[in-house]
Amino acid sequence: MAYIEPAPIKDRANPFESMMSRFNIAAEALGLDEQIYNVLKSPSKQVSVSLPITMDDGSIKVFEGHRVVHSNILGPSKGGVRYAMDVHLDEVKALAAWMTWKCAVVDIPYGGAKGGIKCNPREMSAGEMERLTRAYTQAMLDVFGPDRDIPAPDMGTGPREMAWMMDEYSRAHGTTVNSMVTGKPLVLGGSLGRAEATGRGVMVSALASMEKSRINPYHATIAVQGFGNVGSFAALLLEERGCTVVAVSDITGAYYNEKGINIHEAIKYRDTNNGTLEGFDGADKMDDPEELLFLEVDVLVPAAVEDVINQNNVEKIRAKMIVEGANGPTSAEADNIINSKGILVAPDILANAGGVTVSYFEWVQNRLGYKWTRERVNRRSDRIMKDAFDKVYETSQKHSCPLRIAAYIVAIDKVAETYKFRGGF
Ligand code: GLU
């Protein structure tokens, strides 16, 4: 969860344009064929629906929902469904394209998609959420499918919503189809290791980044913005690897402890305190939560929403490296300043790809009708993340470019190559 309320849409960089400006640089570096450029720059399908839902008080409220499939050239499209008040089509389009690049970077056989419903899950009852989720699934019956488009959790959604999606889809098809969605509860065919997968991939990317910068994890300090599923597991796993997590934040504020925050305790506290760190006594609350971003730490992990590092605050960043747990936490305008400051950035489409990687394992297990051990899941996802990091790093050396552009180059190259073989109409 973010502690910084997202800026109103009109003040924020358009996320689709942010994505495109990096895409354009990578396309140029690759010498991408103009025809393929034209195919990849726009999503292959966009579906927007109005969902009338009966609220608990008997009134009917209409919600706006979207599903954007950016590409399915590498395989069925894959990506989460976000429930938030600032969901809008441009954001969903950008997030869908990011999923295409993310799946290609880690070399899993998926295209990219994303969904979203404009709603405030914090203000809705479980019954309202269930009706909304089922209505959305009904509206997307022709889009979703284990070989077509596979949803997963994102901000504001989790295993509970995935279970409703699976159930609704299965009812419509008269048979249980658990491979139509990932991030499910374990008992419905969820994978061991999926809950912590994104945070775990962030940890692997952070350690690989430290290795390249010759920073000893045992001496490294970390600040994590966002203490939801991604941020809290990333903090916990980095702490377990010997790092000192000096600051974490959530919607209630930022918490600092120079000697290191006991993340295990912080998670325990959050889980028994309405999901927030308010009142946590293992750290001091910072006066201004945004200051967390400007701490002089070895690694800054933005793990909340888009655009938290932007042209208005980028000059103040003092971290040696940034490992992007969130999707799009750095605006495109901030990239140049970050690069000129020599800050190493493990970009979102690489660093947070651990989640979709284990989603892929979940889908594979569902299709095999088999269950892997947590060790097998972790070992395989760690290897995929490390291999992807090494490939992106090598590409950045070859093209003398930042890791972000290198990640786009790796991804676009793979998708473009596939297009060439498959051909068009
Ligand atoms: N929503 C997550 C992401 O942005 C996971 C997507 C998935 O597992 O399909 O990467």
Side-chain angles (χ1 to χ4, degrees), residues 78-80 99 102 114 152-154 182 194 327 355-356 359:
K78 187 82 189 82
M99 286 309 301
K102 203 185 288 190
K114 201 80 174 195
D154 198 80
T182 61
R194 176 63 184 88
N327 291 311
V356 73
S359 274

Side-chain angles (χ1 to χ4, degrees), residues 16 18 41-42 48 67 76 112 191 205 236 259 292 296 304 324 346 384 394:
F16 192 75
S18 250
K41 76 173 194 207
S42 29
S48 294
R67 183 72 178 172
S191 178
S205 304
L236 183 70
K259 297 203 174 70
L292 175 142
E296 196 172 353
E324 297 184 335
I384 286 187
E394 263 168 43

Side-chain angles (χ1 to χ4, degrees), residues 1-9 11-12 84-86 120 122 225 250-253 289-290 304-308 310:
M1 291 295 157
Y3 68 83
I4 300 175
E5 282 298 319
I9 299 302
D11 297 340
R12 278 162 71 185
M85 276 316 283
D86 58 345
N120 186 350
R122 283 176 179 268
Q225 185 231 7
D250 70 5
I251 199 157
T252 63
E290 200 186 3
V305 290
E306 289 109 87
D307 285 336
V308 290
N310 52 52

Side-chain angles (χ1 to χ4, degrees), residues 19-331:
M19 185 282 297
M20 278 310 290
S21 68
R22 278 82 171 242
F23 174 80
N24 288 343
I25 301 172
E28 177 99 26
L30 262 177
L32 186 68
D33 181 316
E34 198 184 330
Q35 293 165 42
I36 293 185
Y37 173 90
N38 287 334
V39 175
L40 297 182
K41 76 173 194 207
S42 29
S44 68
K45 189 190 287 182
Q46 290 171 216
V47 181
S48 294
V49 290
S50 292
L51 304 166
I53 302 299
T54 307
M55 306 304 278
D56 289 349
D57 65 4
S59 64
I60 292 181
K61 212 170 149 183
V62 181
F63 292 86
E64 166 194 323
H66 308 280
R67 183 72 178 172
V68 175
V69 173
H70 173 259
S71 163
N72 51 13
I73 195 77
L74 294 181
S77 50
K78 187 82 189 82
V81 180
R82 174 173 292 199
Y83 288 4
M85 276 316 283
D86 58 345
V87 160
H88 68 116
L89 190 58
D90 255 338
E91 181 197 48
V92 182
K93 270 167 67 181
L95 290 161
W98 276 323
M99 286 309 301
T100 301
W101 313 135
K102 203 185 288 190
C103 294
V105 167
V106 285
D107 204 12
I108 56 178
Y110 285 145
K114 201 80 174 195
I117 302 180
K118 190 175 162 84
C119 66
N120 186 350
R122 283 176 179 268
E123 280 176 5
M124 291 171 69
S125 70
E128 291 167 343
M129 290 287 278
E130 177 169 359
R131 293 193 287 281
L132 181 61
T133 305
R134 288 187 184 276
Y136 179 75
T137 311
Q138 273 292 338
M140 299 296 169
L141 281 181
D142 292 341
V143 180
F144 292 157
D147 291 308
R148 297 161 68 90
D149 178 41
I150 307 149
D154 198 80
M155 274 167 48
T157 59
R160 183 181 71 161
E161 286 71 24
M162 302 307 113
W164 291 327
M165 283 187 198
M166 186 208 99
D167 185 70
E168 195 60 33
Y169 185 91
S170 297
R171 281 168 197 264
H173 288 80
T175 180
T176 298
V177 191
N178 60 7
S179 54
M180 66 74 58
V181 60
T182 61
K184 299 177 291 291
L186 280 182
V187 70
L188 298 185
S191 178
L192 288 164
R194 176 63 184 88
E196 61 270 38
T198 311
R200 191 175 174 92
V202 169
M203 175 272 287
V204 172
S205 304
L207 292 183
S209 305
M210 286 185 231
E211 193 186 322
K212 295 294 178 200
S213 306
R214 300 193 202 300
I215 292 175
N216 180 344
Y218 286 94
H219 299 152
T221 52
I222 317 271
V224 181
Q225 185 231 7
F227 208 61
N229 176 265
V230 180
S232 61
F233 276 118
L236 183 70
L237 294 167
L238 281 164
E239 184 190 45
E240 280 177 16
R241 299 300 184 288
C243 305
T244 305
V245 182
V246 294
V248 296
S249 68
D250 70 5
I251 199 157
T252 63
Y255 301 84
Y256 178 78
N257 182 342
E258 193 189 11
K259 297 203 174 70
I261 296 171
N262 182 329
I263 300 298
H264 205 78
E265 289 299 319
I267 291 177
K268 231 166 68 189
Y269 183 85
R270 177 199 66 186
D271 290 345
T272 52
N273 188 49
N274 246 331
T276 77
L277 290 169
E278 185 68 62
F280 176 61
D281 64 5
D284 298 323
K285 196 165 178 177
M286 296 171 83
D287 293 334
D288 176 1
E290 200 186 3
E291 290 296 321
L292 175 142
L293 298 173
F294 314 138
L295 290 170
E296 196 172 353
V297 286
D298 292 298
V299 185
L300 171 64
V301 180
V305 290
E306 289 109 87
D307 285 336
V308 290
I309 301 169
N310 52 52
Q311 55 191 351
N312 303 324
N313 66 11
V314 59
E315 290 289 1
K316 297 193 217 156
I317 303 283
R318 291 186 296 163
K320 290 202 183 84
M321 55 187 74
I322 298 173
V323 180
E324 297 184 335
N327 291 311
T330 310
S331 76

